[in-house]
Amino acid sequence: MNTSTQISNARLKGRLLKDKLFTYMLIFLAFLSSVPLFLILFELIKKGYKQINISFFYKVAPDTMEAMVAVTNNEVIPGGIANGIVGTLIIVGMASLIAIPLGIICGMYLAENSKGNFAGVVRFIVDMLQGVPSIVLGVIGYIWIVKPITGGFSGLAGSVALSIMMLPSIVRSTEETLKMIPDTLKEAALSLGVPYHKTMLRVVLPSGISGILSGVILGISRIAGETAPLMLTALGSAAISTDITEPSSAIPLLIWEFYNDPNLVDMIWSASLFLLFLILCLNLTAKAIAKRWKVQY
């Protein structure tokens, strides 16, 4: 073996060694980034499972006296978070009804007019909206809905605040998804005489349904755990409320209320565990939808 071949082999071994080191470093950093999630899950399960029972899902939050008596007797705190679950479903549901149609339509416009000046302005506004602090959206909901329309705190005001927060993620996910669909698909439909609006609604939109739905579900999971906007709009309620013009509770609001009462510390962990489990389910649903309805081109 001559000298040049030996040098070449040495360089090749050096490169392979660097590749392995880099791969192991990536694996280690990826593992490191997932450690906080597992630690959070471990802590929540360890401290939160004690309060999880059937009554946890159909009873309203206990008052201070009930909790204090239970804690003194070393018993499970009676009551649950039913008012928070119902309030969260109503508020997030109404926010979705407001944000999903607007977000999808706006995303379709941006995908179809990606180089237009007006589209550039809209895209800039959407990006700016994504960075608005949640507490500011709560103030906006208070000014727009609480004072002039409902005349007091309400679930409707909370829904409007959350819908503004949800809107940017739907817009951008819809736009990016539709941009990935080949133009030939749309051109084929138009060449057959299909009107433009039917082409968009029956060809282009269904082709990107997996990405759009994934963005919608991720947007829902993002707002489901928000507290700051609801503190200034929905306020909270000790009873189950289905009237959207009245104050309404939500799981994040209950966690904040439990935090302010030392007798309800155990309820904090249980409500947090349930909320995290709900968010994880939504994320897994988004993954399943993206995998199930993914369209290959």
Side-chain angles (χ1 to χ4, degrees), residues 107-108 110-111 123 127 169-181 211-212:
M108 289 172 65
L110 293 180
R123 193 177 293 108
D127 290 340
S169 63
I170 299 176
V171 173
R172 295 315 301 262
S173 64
T174 303
E175 180 189 3
E176 296 303 324
T177 300
L178 296 185
K179 278 183 177 177
M180 294 170 62
I181 298 174
I212 295 171

mmCIF file of all heavy atoms in Angstrom, residues 107-108 110-111 123 127 169-181 211-212:
data_model
loop_
_atom_site.group_PDB
_atom_site.id
_atom_site.type_symbol
_atom_site.label_atom_id
_atom_site.label_comp_id
_atom_site.label_asym_id
_atom_site.label_seq_id
_atom_site.Cartn_x
_atom_site.Cartn_y
_atom_site.Cartn_z
ATOM 1 N N GLY A 107 -56.041 31.890 4.467
ATOM 2 C CA GLY A 107 -54.912 31.073 4.004
ATOM 3 C C GLY A 107 -55.023 30.741 2.530
ATOM 4 O O GLY A 107 -54.021 30.726 1.801
ATOM 5 N N MET A 108 -56.255 30.461 2.060
ATOM 6 C CA MET A 108 -56.461 30.184 0.633
ATOM 7 C C MET A 108 -56.111 31.409 -0.205
ATOM 8 O O MET A 108 -55.482 31.302 -1.263
ATOM 9 C CB MET A 108 -57.919 29.771 0.397
ATOM 10 C CG MET A 108 -58.281 28.403 0.947
ATOM 11 S SD MET A 108 -60.053 28.061 0.864
ATOM 12 C CE MET A 108 -60.312 28.039 -0.904
ATOM 13 N N LEU A 110 -53.995 33.837 0.541
ATOM 14 C CA LEU A 110 -52.548 34.050 0.542
ATOM 15 C C LEU A 110 -51.840 33.035 -0.348
ATOM 16 O O LEU A 110 -50.858 33.369 -1.019
ATOM 17 C CB LEU A 110 -52.013 33.943 1.974
ATOM 18 C CG LEU A 110 -52.451 35.042 2.940
ATOM 19 C CD1 LEU A 110 -51.853 34.814 4.311
ATOM 20 C CD2 LEU A 110 -52.038 36.421 2.425
ATOM 21 N N ALA A 111 -52.349 31.794 -0.371
ATOM 22 C CA ALA A 111 -51.721 30.776 -1.226
ATOM 23 C C ALA A 111 -51.940 31.068 -2.703
ATOM 24 O O ALA A 111 -51.066 30.804 -3.535
ATOM 25 C CB ALA A 111 -52.285 29.401 -0.875
ATOM 26 N N ARG A 123 -50.141 39.008 5.100
ATOM 27 C CA ARG A 123 -49.198 38.054 5.694
ATOM 28 C C ARG A 123 -48.387 38.710 6.826
ATOM 29 O O ARG A 123 -48.155 38.103 7.873
ATOM 30 C CB ARG A 123 -48.261 37.527 4.608
ATOM 31 C CG ARG A 123 -47.444 36.314 5.044
ATOM 32 C CD ARG A 123 -46.599 35.783 3.905
ATOM 33 N NE ARG A 123 -47.414 35.215 2.845
ATOM 34 C CZ ARG A 123 -47.597 35.777 1.644
ATOM 35 N NH1 ARG A 123 -47.014 36.932 1.364
ATOM 36 N NH2 ARG A 123 -48.346 35.187 0.743
ATOM 37 N N ASP A 127 -48.444 37.583 10.741
ATOM 38 C CA ASP A 127 -47.226 37.282 11.490
ATOM 39 C C ASP A 127 -47.118 38.140 12.750
ATOM 40 O O ASP A 127 -46.693 37.662 13.808
ATOM 41 C CB ASP A 127 -46.000 37.503 10.598
ATOM 42 C CG ASP A 127 -45.897 36.457 9.499
ATOM 43 O OD1 ASP A 127 -46.525 35.390 9.653
ATOM 44 O OD2 ASP A 127 -45.223 36.714 8.487
ATOM 45 N N SER A 169 -52.202 30.697 13.365
ATOM 46 C CA SER A 169 -51.713 29.331 13.102
ATOM 47 C C SER A 169 -52.534 28.659 12.007
ATOM 48 O O SER A 169 -51.993 27.905 11.189
ATOM 49 C CB SER A 169 -51.745 28.501 14.383
ATOM 50 O OG SER A 169 -53.067 28.366 14.858
ATOM 51 N N ILE A 170 -53.838 28.927 11.965
ATOM 52 C CA ILE A 170 -54.678 28.334 10.914
ATOM 53 C C ILE A 170 -54.343 28.951 9.555
ATOM 54 O O ILE A 170 -54.249 28.241 8.543
ATOM 55 C CB ILE A 170 -56.164 28.527 11.246
ATOM 56 C CG1 ILE A 170 -56.507 27.837 12.564
ATOM 57 C CG2 ILE A 170 -57.053 27.977 10.134
ATOM 58 C CD1 ILE A 170 -57.928 28.047 13.013
ATOM 59 N N VAL A 171 -54.176 30.264 9.537
ATOM 60 C CA VAL A 171 -53.853 30.949 8.275
ATOM 61 C C VAL A 171 -52.555 30.415 7.686
ATOM 62 O O VAL A 171 -52.490 30.028 6.509
ATOM 63 C CB VAL A 171 -53.756 32.476 8.500
ATOM 64 C CG1 VAL A 171 -53.251 33.165 7.245
ATOM 65 C CG2 VAL A 171 -55.110 33.041 8.888
ATOM 66 N N ARG A 172 -51.515 30.361 8.503
ATOM 67 C CA ARG A 172 -50.212 29.962 7.974
ATOM 68 C C ARG A 172 -50.170 28.478 7.618
ATOM 69 O O ARG A 172 -49.554 28.094 6.627
ATOM 70 C CB ARG A 172 -49.108 30.281 8.996
ATOM 71 C CG ARG A 172 -48.921 31.764 9.258
ATOM 72 C CD ARG A 172 -48.918 32.597 7.976
ATOM 73 N NE ARG A 172 -47.874 32.215 7.043
ATOM 74 C CZ ARG A 172 -46.714 32.818 6.914
ATOM 75 N NH1 ARG A 172 -46.469 33.882 7.645
ATOM 76 N NH2 ARG A 172 -45.822 32.411 6.035
ATOM 77 N N SER A 173 -50.830 27.634 8.411
ATOM 78 C CA SER A 173 -50.837 26.202 8.070
ATOM 79 C C SER A 173 -51.613 25.959 6.779
ATOM 80 O O SER A 173 -51.207 25.136 5.942
ATOM 81 C CB SER A 173 -51.436 25.380 9.212
ATOM 82 O OG SER A 173 -52.791 25.703 9.418
ATOM 83 N N THR A 174 -52.737 26.684 6.589
ATOM 84 C CA THR A 174 -53.506 26.543 5.352
ATOM 85 C C THR A 174 -52.699 27.023 4.157
ATOM 86 O O THR A 174 -52.634 26.358 3.111
ATOM 87 C CB THR A 174 -54.816 27.341 5.448
ATOM 88 O OG1 THR A 174 -55.564 26.891 6.576
ATOM 89 C CG2 THR A 174 -55.650 27.161 4.188
ATOM 90 N N GLU A 175 -52.060 28.182 4.304
ATOM 91 C CA GLU A 175 -51.264 28.729 3.200
ATOM 92 C C GLU A 175 -50.120 27.789 2.813
ATOM 93 O O GLU A 175 -49.948 27.466 1.629
ATOM 94 C CB GLU A 175 -50.687 30.095 3.595
ATOM 95 C CG GLU A 175 -49.858 30.721 2.486
ATOM 96 C CD GLU A 175 -49.106 31.956 2.963
ATOM 97 O OE1 GLU A 175 -49.197 32.282 4.147
ATOM 98 O OE2 GLU A 175 -48.425 32.578 2.122
ATOM 99 N N GLU A 176 -49.372 27.343 3.802
ATOM 100 C CA GLU A 176 -48.218 26.476 3.507
ATOM 101 C C GLU A 176 -48.659 25.135 2.928
ATOM 102 O O GLU A 176 -47.990 24.575 2.051
ATOM 103 C CB GLU A 176 -47.387 26.260 4.781
ATOM 104 C CG GLU A 176 -46.753 27.521 5.340
ATOM 105 C CD GLU A 176 -45.854 28.213 4.328
ATOM 106 O OE1 GLU A 176 -45.193 27.509 3.544
ATOM 107 O OE2 GLU A 176 -45.828 29.453 4.317
ATOM 108 N N THR A 177 -49.788 24.619 3.405
ATOM 109 C CA THR A 177 -50.282 23.348 2.873
ATOM 110 C C THR A 177 -50.711 23.483 1.421
ATOM 111 O O THR A 177 -50.372 22.644 0.568
ATOM 112 C CB THR A 177 -51.477 22.857 3.718
ATOM 113 O OG1 THR A 177 -51.048 22.683 5.058
ATOM 114 C CG2 THR A 177 -52.000 21.534 3.196
ATOM 115 N N LEU A 178 -51.469 24.521 1.113
ATOM 116 C CA LEU A 178 -51.960 24.703 -0.259
ATOM 117 C C LEU A 178 -50.830 25.018 -1.230
ATOM 118 O O LEU A 178 -50.914 24.697 -2.417
ATOM 119 C CB LEU A 178 -53.019 25.806 -0.293
ATOM 120 C CG LEU A 178 -54.294 25.508 0.493
ATOM 121 C CD1 LEU A 178 -55.322 26.611 0.282
ATOM 122 C CD2 LEU A 178 -54.895 24.172 0.089
ATOM 123 N N LYS A 179 -49.773 25.628 -0.745
ATOM 124 C CA LYS A 179 -48.624 25.908 -1.616
ATOM 125 C C LYS A 179 -47.924 24.625 -2.056
ATOM 126 O O LYS A 179 -47.264 24.588 -3.096
ATOM 127 C CB LYS A 179 -47.618 26.809 -0.882
ATOM 128 C CG LYS A 179 -47.977 28.289 -0.917
ATOM 129 C CD LYS A 179 -46.889 29.082 -0.223
ATOM 130 C CE LYS A 179 -47.182 30.572 -0.300
ATOM 131 N NZ LYS A 179 -46.163 31.360 0.428
ATOM 132 N N MET A 180 -48.053 23.575 -1.259
ATOM 133 C CA MET A 180 -47.391 22.308 -1.592
ATOM 134 C C MET A 180 -48.159 21.508 -2.637
ATOM 135 O O MET A 180 -47.650 20.540 -3.191
ATOM 136 C CB MET A 180 -47.240 21.463 -0.316
ATOM 137 C CG MET A 180 -46.290 22.088 0.710
ATOM 138 S SD MET A 180 -46.332 21.238 2.297
ATOM 139 C CE MET A 180 -45.786 19.625 1.817
ATOM 140 N N ILE A 181 -49.414 21.890 -2.902
ATOM 141 C CA ILE A 181 -50.206 21.163 -3.893
ATOM 142 C C ILE A 181 -49.793 21.612 -5.295
ATOM 143 O O ILE A 181 -49.754 22.812 -5.576
ATOM 144 C CB ILE A 181 -51.712 21.433 -3.667
ATOM 145 C CG1 ILE A 181 -52.110 20.905 -2.282
ATOM 146 C CG2 ILE A 181 -52.562 20.789 -4.748
ATOM 147 C CD1 ILE A 181 -53.513 21.232 -1.892
ATOM 148 N N GLY A 211 -53.121 18.624 6.114
ATOM 149 C CA GLY A 211 -52.314 19.708 6.678
ATOM 150 C C GLY A 211 -53.169 20.780 7.324
ATOM 151 O O GLY A 211 -52.819 21.329 8.379
ATOM 152 N N ILE A 212 -54.321 21.071 6.693
ATOM 153 C CA ILE A 212 -55.201 22.104 7.241
ATOM 154 C C ILE A 212 -55.781 21.658 8.583
ATOM 155 O O ILE A 212 -55.791 22.418 9.559
ATOM 156 C CB ILE A 212 -56.324 22.419 6.236
ATOM 157 C CG1 ILE A 212 -55.729 23.041 4.972
ATOM 158 C CG2 ILE A 212 -57.346 23.369 6.846
ATOM 159 C CD1 ILE A 212 -56.715 23.190 3.833
#
